[in-house]
Amino acid sequence: MIRVVVVDDQALVREGLGLVLGAQPDLEVVAELPDGPALLTFLETDTADVVLLDLYLPGADGIEILRGVDGPPVLILTTVGRAADVRRALAAGAAGFVLKDAGGTELAAAIRGAHAGVTALSSSAARLLWPAPEQDPSPVRPPGPAGRGLTAREREVWGLVGRGLSNQEIARALSVAERTVKVHVSSLLAKLGVTSRTQAALLTRDGPARKD
């Protein structure tokens, strides 16, 4: 069982999340807490596998609370978020970012991902970082230093990963087989020194492209 702690200042939200997550066969909500101090006090004497932490708590910023958590991965949860909030949370060490419009299945999947060490973003949070191409026509250019050693095709794939496209969508865009895209993605992750598509995509926002 994955032990989950829910931290939200609204009792109704805490109880609702407890019911939704409690219906999952592999998730157990072990505490429903109203604020950051209560979370830190809980973690002094008890354990959790994943913390679900509201971004906006009375008198406190969820990301500041996150920095004080030593141990379990923390998923940031919020009703309204901005791309800057997502980046700030991930930079501070959050295991992921979930908007409250996510369904129970998506939230549960994010918790499982965080527990497995995978950066977890709900679909709405991912769209904040990487709008669909028709909404964001400006090119996404991989940064130079991190992109050294990539082939031209890997750079193309990287840019599309940065837009949030799936392997299947990238395959259609480049008119290649999906298995070919998987090979390119695996290669560019290794060359970038990252372990997830999310980390690779975040690098595409760091600066202009540079050719070797």
Side-chain angles (χ1 to χ4, degrees):
M1 295 289 285
I2 299 174
R3 293 166 53 84
V4 182
V5 172
V6 175
V7 185
D8 195 291
D9 62 303
Q10 298 182 39
L12 190 60
V13 172
R14 294 196 303 272
E15 293 170 7
L17 289 171
L19 289 172
V20 169
L21 299 178
Q24 299 293 321
D26 58 337
L27 303 181
E28 178 187 9
V29 177
V30 295
E32 298 171 7
L33 307 173
D35 53 36
L39 170 63
L40 298 179
T41 298
F42 173 86
L43 292 176
E44 287 176 359
T45 58
D46 213 326
T47 60
D49 295 315
V50 177
V51 173
L52 197 57
L53 176 64
D54 189 29
L55 177 60
Y56 299 110
L57 294 169
D61 177 87
I63 295 174
E64 290 303 318
I65 296 170
L66 158 67
R67 293 191 175 103
V69 174
D70 182 17
V74 177
L75 275 175
I76 294 294
L77 182 70
T78 185
T79 302
V80 179
R82 303 167 300 166
D85 293 327
V86 182
R87 294 193 184 99
R88 191 163 63 97
L90 295 178
F97 198 101
V98 178
L99 267 68
K100 290 180 181 176
D101 65 354
T105 300
E106 188 175 19
L107 176 58
I111 290 171
R112 294 184 188 107
H115 182 246
V118 177
T119 302
L121 297 176
S122 68
S123 56
S124 295
R127 283 195 295 271
L128 289 175
L129 289 178
W130 311 298
E134 63 268 23
Q135 296 173 321
D136 183 14
S138 60
V140 177
R141 298 177 295 175
R148 288 176 181 164
L150 295 184
T151 66
R153 178 62 86 183
E154 286 167 348
R155 285 177 177 273
E156 274 188 294
V157 171
W158 192 14
L160 294 173
V161 167
R163 290 190 182 281
L165 272 64
S166 67
N167 285 350
Q168 187 177 52
E169 291 168 329
I170 293 172
R172 285 200 299 266
L174 300 180
S175 300
V176 298
E178 187 175 350
R179 63 179 176 274
T180 301
V181 174
K182 290 180 180 177
V183 171
H184 287 314
V185 170
S186 296
S187 177
L188 74 88
L189 290 181
K191 290 179 179 179
L192 293 172
V194 297
T195 58
S196 73
R197 295 170 70 96
T198 300
Q199 292 170 322
L202 285 173
L203 286 176
T204 68
R205 299 287 175 169
D206 288 346
R210 172 177 166 181
K211 296 181 179 179
D212 296 325

PDB file of all heavy atoms in Angstrom, residues 10-40:
ATOM      1  N   GLN A  10      -9.063  23.247   3.349  1.00  0.00           N
ATOM      2  CA  GLN A  10     -10.513  23.075   3.272  1.00  0.00           C
ATOM      3  C   GLN A  10     -10.894  21.645   3.650  1.00  0.00           C
ATOM      4  O   GLN A  10     -10.504  20.679   2.978  1.00  0.00           O
ATOM      5  CB  GLN A  10     -11.004  23.390   1.860  1.00  0.00           C
ATOM      6  CG  GLN A  10     -10.744  24.820   1.425  1.00  0.00           C
ATOM      7  CD  GLN A  10     -11.286  25.124   0.052  1.00  0.00           C
ATOM      8  OE1 GLN A  10     -12.366  24.668  -0.310  1.00  0.00           O
ATOM      9  NE2 GLN A  10     -10.545  25.888  -0.733  1.00  0.00           N
ATOM     10  N   ALA A  11     -11.681  21.518   4.701  1.00  0.00           N
ATOM     11  CA  ALA A  11     -12.060  20.199   5.210  1.00  0.00           C
ATOM     12  C   ALA A  11     -12.804  19.380   4.164  1.00  0.00           C
ATOM     13  O   ALA A  11     -12.587  18.162   4.042  1.00  0.00           O
ATOM     14  CB  ALA A  11     -12.918  20.354   6.465  1.00  0.00           C
ATOM     15  N   LEU A  12     -13.665  20.038   3.404  1.00  0.00           N
ATOM     16  CA  LEU A  12     -14.441  19.323   2.394  1.00  0.00           C
ATOM     17  C   LEU A  12     -13.530  18.734   1.325  1.00  0.00           C
ATOM     18  O   LEU A  12     -13.749  17.601   0.868  1.00  0.00           O
ATOM     19  CB  LEU A  12     -15.466  20.268   1.758  1.00  0.00           C
ATOM     20  CG  LEU A  12     -16.515  19.616   0.847  1.00  0.00           C
ATOM     21  CD1 LEU A  12     -17.336  18.599   1.628  1.00  0.00           C
ATOM     22  CD2 LEU A  12     -17.422  20.688   0.243  1.00  0.00           C
ATOM     23  N   VAL A  13     -12.503  19.485   0.944  1.00  0.00           N
ATOM     24  CA  VAL A  13     -11.551  18.990  -0.055  1.00  0.00           C
ATOM     25  C   VAL A  13     -10.772  17.806   0.517  1.00  0.00           C
ATOM     26  O   VAL A  13     -10.584  16.783  -0.160  1.00  0.00           O
ATOM     27  CB  VAL A  13     -10.584  20.114  -0.488  1.00  0.00           C
ATOM     28  CG1 VAL A  13      -9.462  19.550  -1.369  1.00  0.00           C
ATOM     29  CG2 VAL A  13     -11.343  21.203  -1.236  1.00  0.00           C
ATOM     30  N   ARG A  14     -10.305  17.944   1.757  1.00  0.00           N
ATOM     31  CA  ARG A  14      -9.564  16.845   2.388  1.00  0.00           C
ATOM     32  C   ARG A  14     -10.398  15.569   2.426  1.00  0.00           C
ATOM     33  O   ARG A  14      -9.936  14.485   2.074  1.00  0.00           O
ATOM     34  CB  ARG A  14      -9.146  17.219   3.816  1.00  0.00           C
ATOM     35  CG  ARG A  14      -8.137  18.337   3.910  1.00  0.00           C
ATOM     36  CD  ARG A  14      -7.495  18.388   5.286  1.00  0.00           C
ATOM     37  NE  ARG A  14      -8.435  18.531   6.381  1.00  0.00           N
ATOM     38  CZ  ARG A  14      -8.884  19.694   6.853  1.00  0.00           C
ATOM     39  NH1 ARG A  14      -8.460  20.830   6.302  1.00  0.00           N
ATOM     40  NH2 ARG A  14      -9.724  19.737   7.873  1.00  0.00           N
ATOM     41  N   GLU A  15     -11.649  15.724   2.852  1.00  0.00           N
ATOM     42  CA  GLU A  15     -12.507  14.551   2.972  1.00  0.00           C
ATOM     43  C   GLU A  15     -12.810  13.945   1.608  1.00  0.00           C
ATOM     44  O   GLU A  15     -12.841  12.720   1.444  1.00  0.00           O
ATOM     45  CB  GLU A  15     -13.798  14.933   3.693  1.00  0.00           C
ATOM     46  CG  GLU A  15     -13.580  15.307   5.154  1.00  0.00           C
ATOM     47  CD  GLU A  15     -14.819  15.913   5.796  1.00  0.00           C
ATOM     48  OE1 GLU A  15     -15.882  15.915   5.126  1.00  0.00           O
ATOM     49  OE2 GLU A  15     -14.729  16.380   6.953  1.00  0.00           O
ATOM     50  N   GLY A  16     -13.023  14.814   0.616  1.00  0.00           N
ATOM     51  CA  GLY A  16     -13.305  14.329  -0.734  1.00  0.00           C
ATOM     52  C   GLY A  16     -12.127  13.569  -1.319  1.00  0.00           C
ATOM     53  O   GLY A  16     -12.291  12.494  -1.906  1.00  0.00           O
ATOM     54  N   LEU A  17     -10.935  14.114  -1.133  1.00  0.00           N
ATOM     55  CA  LEU A  17      -9.738  13.429  -1.627  1.00  0.00           C
ATOM     56  C   LEU A  17      -9.542  12.110  -0.896  1.00  0.00           C
ATOM     57  O   LEU A  17      -9.131  11.106  -1.497  1.00  0.00           O
ATOM     58  CB  LEU A  17      -8.510  14.327  -1.444  1.00  0.00           C
ATOM     59  CG  LEU A  17      -8.427  15.543  -2.363  1.00  0.00           C
ATOM     60  CD1 LEU A  17      -7.279  16.458  -1.933  1.00  0.00           C
ATOM     61  CD2 LEU A  17      -8.232  15.109  -3.820  1.00  0.00           C
ATOM     62  N   GLY A  18      -9.834  12.112   0.401  1.00  0.00           N
ATOM     63  CA  GLY A  18      -9.704  10.885   1.176  1.00  0.00           C
ATOM     64  C   GLY A  18     -10.611   9.791   0.640  1.00  0.00           C
ATOM     65  O   GLY A  18     -10.200   8.632   0.525  1.00  0.00           O
ATOM     66  N   LEU A  19     -11.843  10.160   0.264  1.00  0.00           N
ATOM     67  CA  LEU A  19     -12.782   9.177  -0.268  1.00  0.00           C
ATOM     68  C   LEU A  19     -12.342   8.672  -1.635  1.00  0.00           C
ATOM     69  O   LEU A  19     -12.391   7.471  -1.917  1.00  0.00           O
ATOM     70  CB  LEU A  19     -14.180   9.799  -0.370  1.00  0.00           C
ATOM     71  CG  LEU A  19     -14.903  10.066   0.956  1.00  0.00           C
ATOM     72  CD1 LEU A  19     -16.179  10.848   0.712  1.00  0.00           C
ATOM     73  CD2 LEU A  19     -15.208   8.746   1.663  1.00  0.00           C
ATOM     74  N   VAL A  20     -11.908   9.603  -2.490  1.00  0.00           N
ATOM     75  CA  VAL A  20     -11.483   9.225  -3.850  1.00  0.00           C
ATOM     76  C   VAL A  20     -10.268   8.305  -3.804  1.00  0.00           C
ATOM     77  O   VAL A  20     -10.232   7.262  -4.466  1.00  0.00           O
ATOM     78  CB  VAL A  20     -11.170  10.487  -4.682  1.00  0.00           C
ATOM     79  CG1 VAL A  20     -10.469  10.113  -5.983  1.00  0.00           C
ATOM     80  CG2 VAL A  20     -12.447  11.254  -4.985  1.00  0.00           C
ATOM     81  N   LEU A  21      -9.273   8.700  -3.027  1.00  0.00           N
ATOM     82  CA  LEU A  21      -8.040   7.910  -2.973  1.00  0.00           C
ATOM     83  C   LEU A  21      -8.245   6.610  -2.200  1.00  0.00           C
ATOM     84  O   LEU A  21      -7.641   5.587  -2.527  1.00  0.00           O
ATOM     85  CB  LEU A  21      -6.918   8.742  -2.345  1.00  0.00           C
ATOM     86  CG  LEU A  21      -6.552  10.014  -3.110  1.00  0.00           C
ATOM     87  CD1 LEU A  21      -5.457  10.777  -2.376  1.00  0.00           C
ATOM     88  CD2 LEU A  21      -6.117   9.688  -4.530  1.00  0.00           C
ATOM     89  N   GLY A  22      -9.107   6.654  -1.191  1.00  0.00           N
ATOM     90  CA  GLY A  22      -9.371   5.451  -0.406  1.00  0.00           C
ATOM     91  C   GLY A  22     -10.041   4.359  -1.216  1.00  0.00           C
ATOM     92  O   GLY A  22      -9.994   3.182  -0.835  1.00  0.00           O
ATOM     93  N   ALA A  23     -10.664   4.739  -2.343  1.00  0.00           N
ATOM     94  CA  ALA A  23     -11.312   3.746  -3.201  1.00  0.00           C
ATOM     95  C   ALA A  23     -10.307   2.992  -4.070  1.00  0.00           C
ATOM     96  O   ALA A  23     -10.667   1.994  -4.700  1.00  0.00           O
ATOM     97  CB  ALA A  23     -12.352   4.432  -4.090  1.00  0.00           C
ATOM     98  N   GLN A  24      -9.064   3.461  -4.097  1.00  0.00           N
ATOM     99  CA  GLN A  24      -8.030   2.791  -4.886  1.00  0.00           C
ATOM    100  C   GLN A  24      -7.451   1.631  -4.074  1.00  0.00           C
ATOM    101  O   GLN A  24      -7.147   1.794  -2.893  1.00  0.00           O
ATOM    102  CB  GLN A  24      -6.916   3.777  -5.246  1.00  0.00           C
ATOM    103  CG  GLN A  24      -7.364   4.961  -6.086  1.00  0.00           C
ATOM    104  CD  GLN A  24      -7.802   4.544  -7.483  1.00  0.00           C
ATOM    105  OE1 GLN A  24      -7.193   3.674  -8.095  1.00  0.00           O
ATOM    106  NE2 GLN A  24      -8.859   5.173  -7.967  1.00  0.00           N
ATOM    107  N   PRO A  25      -7.279   0.487  -4.700  1.00  0.00           N
ATOM    108  CA  PRO A  25      -6.854  -0.697  -3.929  1.00  0.00           C
ATOM    109  C   PRO A  25      -5.441  -0.619  -3.367  1.00  0.00           C
ATOM    110  O   PRO A  25      -5.123  -1.324  -2.410  1.00  0.00           O
ATOM    111  CB  PRO A  25      -6.962  -1.835  -4.956  1.00  0.00           C
ATOM    112  CG  PRO A  25      -6.837  -1.163  -6.294  1.00  0.00           C
ATOM    113  CD  PRO A  25      -7.500   0.171  -6.121  1.00  0.00           C
ATOM    114  N   ASP A  26      -4.601   0.255  -3.951  1.00  0.00           N
ATOM    115  CA  ASP A  26      -3.202   0.307  -3.515  1.00  0.00           C
ATOM    116  C   ASP A  26      -2.840   1.595  -2.796  1.00  0.00           C
ATOM    117  O   ASP A  26      -1.677   1.849  -2.503  1.00  0.00           O
ATOM    118  CB  ASP A  26      -2.267   0.117  -4.711  1.00  0.00           C
ATOM    119  CG  ASP A  26      -2.491   1.172  -5.797  1.00  0.00           C
ATOM    120  OD1 ASP A  26      -3.601   1.752  -5.844  1.00  0.00           O
ATOM    121  OD2 ASP A  26      -1.578   1.415  -6.589  1.00  0.00           O
ATOM    122  N   LEU A  27      -3.842   2.443  -2.518  1.00  0.00           N
ATOM    123  CA  LEU A  27      -3.584   3.724  -1.851  1.00  0.00           C
ATOM    124  C   LEU A  27      -4.288   3.763  -0.499  1.00  0.00           C
ATOM    125  O   LEU A  27      -5.436   3.346  -0.372  1.00  0.00           O
ATOM    126  CB  LEU A  27      -4.070   4.897  -2.707  1.00  0.00           C
ATOM    127  CG  LEU A  27      -3.499   5.020  -4.120  1.00  0.00           C
ATOM    128  CD1 LEU A  27      -4.069   6.257  -4.802  1.00  0.00           C
ATOM    129  CD2 LEU A  27      -1.986   5.067  -4.110  1.00  0.00           C
ATOM    130  N   GLU A  28      -3.590   4.299   0.490  1.00  0.00           N
ATOM    131  CA  GLU A  28      -4.166   4.448   1.829  1.00  0.00           C
ATOM    132  C   GLU A  28      -3.892   5.864   2.337  1.00  0.00           C
ATOM    133  O   GLU A  28      -2.740   6.275   2.445  1.00  0.00           O
ATOM    134  CB  GLU A  28      -3.536   3.441   2.792  1.00  0.00           C
ATOM    135  CG  GLU A  28      -4.059   3.570   4.217  1.00  0.00           C
ATOM    136  CD  GLU A  28      -3.312   2.677   5.198  1.00  0.00           C
ATOM    137  OE1 GLU A  28      -2.277   2.088   4.803  1.00  0.00           O
ATOM    138  OE2 GLU A  28      -3.750   2.591   6.355  1.00  0.00           O
ATOM    139  N   VAL A  29      -4.946   6.623   2.596  1.00  0.00           N
ATOM    140  CA  VAL A  29      -4.797   7.963   3.155  1.00  0.00           C
ATOM    141  C   VAL A  29      -4.614   7.817   4.660  1.00  0.00           C
ATOM    142  O   VAL A  29      -5.539   7.431   5.384  1.00  0.00           O
ATOM    143  CB  VAL A  29      -6.012   8.848   2.834  1.00  0.00           C
ATOM    144  CG1 VAL A  29      -5.859  10.222   3.499  1.00  0.00           C
ATOM    145  CG2 VAL A  29      -6.158   9.015   1.330  1.00  0.00           C
ATOM    146  N   VAL A  30      -3.408   8.130   5.128  1.00  0.00           N
ATOM    147  CA  VAL A  30      -3.095   7.913   6.548  1.00  0.00           C
ATOM    148  C   VAL A  30      -3.287   9.175   7.382  1.00  0.00           C
ATOM    149  O   VAL A  30      -3.299   9.103   8.614  1.00  0.00           O
ATOM    150  CB  VAL A  30      -1.650   7.388   6.712  1.00  0.00           C
ATOM    151  CG1 VAL A  30      -1.521   6.018   6.070  1.00  0.00           C
ATOM    152  CG2 VAL A  30      -0.634   8.358   6.122  1.00  0.00           C
ATOM    153  N   ALA A  31      -3.424  10.335   6.722  1.00  0.00           N
ATOM    154  CA  ALA A  31      -3.664  11.574   7.473  1.00  0.00           C
ATOM    155  C   ALA A  31      -4.267  12.616   6.550  1.00  0.00           C
ATOM    156  O   ALA A  31      -3.900  12.698   5.370  1.00  0.00           O
ATOM    157  CB  ALA A  31      -2.371  12.098   8.088  1.00  0.00           C
ATOM    158  N   GLU A  32      -5.191  13.400   7.087  1.00  0.00           N
ATOM    159  CA  GLU A  32      -5.774  14.546   6.390  1.00  0.00           C
ATOM    160  C   GLU A  32      -5.496  15.768   7.260  1.00  0.00           C
ATOM    161  O   GLU A  32      -6.060  15.898   8.350  1.00  0.00           O
ATOM    162  CB  GLU A  32      -7.278  14.343   6.182  1.00  0.00           C
ATOM    163  CG  GLU A  32      -7.606  13.141   5.311  1.00  0.00           C
ATOM    164  CD  GLU A  32      -9.101  12.827   5.286  1.00  0.00           C
ATOM    165  OE1 GLU A  32      -9.894  13.629   5.834  1.00  0.00           O
ATOM    166  OE2 GLU A  32      -9.470  11.764   4.742  1.00  0.00           O
ATOM    167  N   LEU A  33      -4.600  16.649   6.782  1.00  0.00           N
ATOM    168  CA  LEU A  33      -4.088  17.729   7.627  1.00  0.00           C
ATOM    169  C   LEU A  33      -4.433  19.093   7.036  1.00  0.00           C
ATOM    170  O   LEU A  33      -4.500  19.257   5.808  1.00  0.00           O
ATOM    171  CB  LEU A  33      -2.569  17.584   7.768  1.00  0.00           C
ATOM    172  CG  LEU A  33      -2.085  16.203   8.253  1.00  0.00           C
ATOM    173  CD1 LEU A  33      -0.571  16.121   8.184  1.00  0.00           C
ATOM    174  CD2 LEU A  33      -2.585  15.946   9.668  1.00  0.00           C
ATOM    175  N   PRO A  34      -4.599  20.124   7.901  1.00  0.00           N
ATOM    176  CA  PRO A  34      -5.050  21.436   7.427  1.00  0.00           C
ATOM    177  C   PRO A  34      -3.963  22.407   7.000  1.00  0.00           C
ATOM    178  O   PRO A  34      -4.252  23.416   6.354  1.00  0.00           O
ATOM    179  CB  PRO A  34      -5.808  21.988   8.640  1.00  0.00           C
ATOM    180  CG  PRO A  34      -5.052  21.414   9.801  1.00  0.00           C
ATOM    181  CD  PRO A  34      -4.628  20.039   9.374  1.00  0.00           C
ATOM    182  N   ASP A  35      -2.696  22.159   7.389  1.00  0.00           N
ATOM    183  CA  ASP A  35      -1.668  23.152   7.081  1.00  0.00           C
ATOM    184  C   ASP A  35      -0.265  22.557   7.163  1.00  0.00           C
ATOM    185  O   ASP A  35      -0.078  21.390   7.522  1.00  0.00           O
ATOM    186  CB  ASP A  35      -1.781  24.360   8.022  1.00  0.00           C
ATOM    187  CG  ASP A  35      -1.774  23.963   9.492  1.00  0.00           C
ATOM    188  OD1 ASP A  35      -1.045  23.004   9.850  1.00  0.00           O
ATOM    189  OD2 ASP A  35      -2.488  24.596  10.292  1.00  0.00           O
ATOM    190  N   GLY A  36       0.730  23.404   6.828  1.00  0.00           N
ATOM    191  CA  GLY A  36       2.119  22.968   6.830  1.00  0.00           C
ATOM    192  C   GLY A  36       2.643  22.550   8.192  1.00  0.00           C
ATOM    193  O   GLY A  36       3.284  21.495   8.302  1.00  0.00           O
ATOM    194  N   PRO A  37       2.438  23.339   9.232  1.00  0.00           N
ATOM    195  CA  PRO A  37       2.926  22.931  10.556  1.00  0.00           C
ATOM    196  C   PRO A  37       2.391  21.563  10.981  1.00  0.00           C
ATOM    197  O   PRO A  37       3.110  20.762  11.575  1.00  0.00           O
ATOM    198  CB  PRO A  37       2.425  24.053  11.474  1.00  0.00           C
ATOM    199  CG  PRO A  37       2.384  25.258  10.584  1.00  0.00           C
ATOM    200  CD  PRO A  37       1.917  24.738   9.255  1.00  0.00           C
ATOM    201  N   ALA A  38       1.119  21.299  10.683  1.00  0.00           N
ATOM    202  CA  ALA A  38       0.546  20.002  11.032  1.00  0.00           C
ATOM    203  C   ALA A  38       1.249  18.881  10.274  1.00  0.00           C
ATOM    204  O   ALA A  38       1.481  17.791  10.813  1.00  0.00           O
ATOM    205  CB  ALA A  38      -0.951  19.987  10.726  1.00  0.00           C
ATOM    206  N   LEU A  39       1.609  19.152   9.018  1.00  0.00           N
ATOM    207  CA  LEU A  39       2.335  18.158   8.224  1.00  0.00           C
ATOM    208  C   LEU A  39       3.704  17.875   8.833  1.00  0.00           C
ATOM    209  O   LEU A  39       4.092  16.714   9.007  1.00  0.00           O
ATOM    210  CB  LEU A  39       2.491  18.656   6.784  1.00  0.00           C
ATOM    211  CG  LEU A  39       3.441  17.837   5.891  1.00  0.00           C
ATOM    212  CD1 LEU A  39       2.921  16.416   5.712  1.00  0.00           C
ATOM    213  CD2 LEU A  39       3.637  18.528   4.548  1.00  0.00           C
ATOM    214  N   LEU A  40       4.444  18.923   9.138  1.00  0.00           N
ATOM    215  CA  LEU A  40       5.788  18.735   9.685  1.00  0.00           C
ATOM    216  C   LEU A  40       5.739  18.020  11.035  1.00  0.00           C
ATOM    217  O   LEU A  40       6.595  17.177  11.325  1.00  0.00           O
ATOM    218  CB  LEU A  40       6.486  20.090   9.810  1.00  0.00           C
ATOM    219  CG  LEU A  40       6.697  20.842   8.482  1.00  0.00           C
ATOM    220  CD1 LEU A  40       7.384  22.182   8.730  1.00  0.00           C
ATOM    221  CD2 LEU A  40       7.491  20.006   7.494  1.00  0.00           C
TER     222      LEU A  40
END
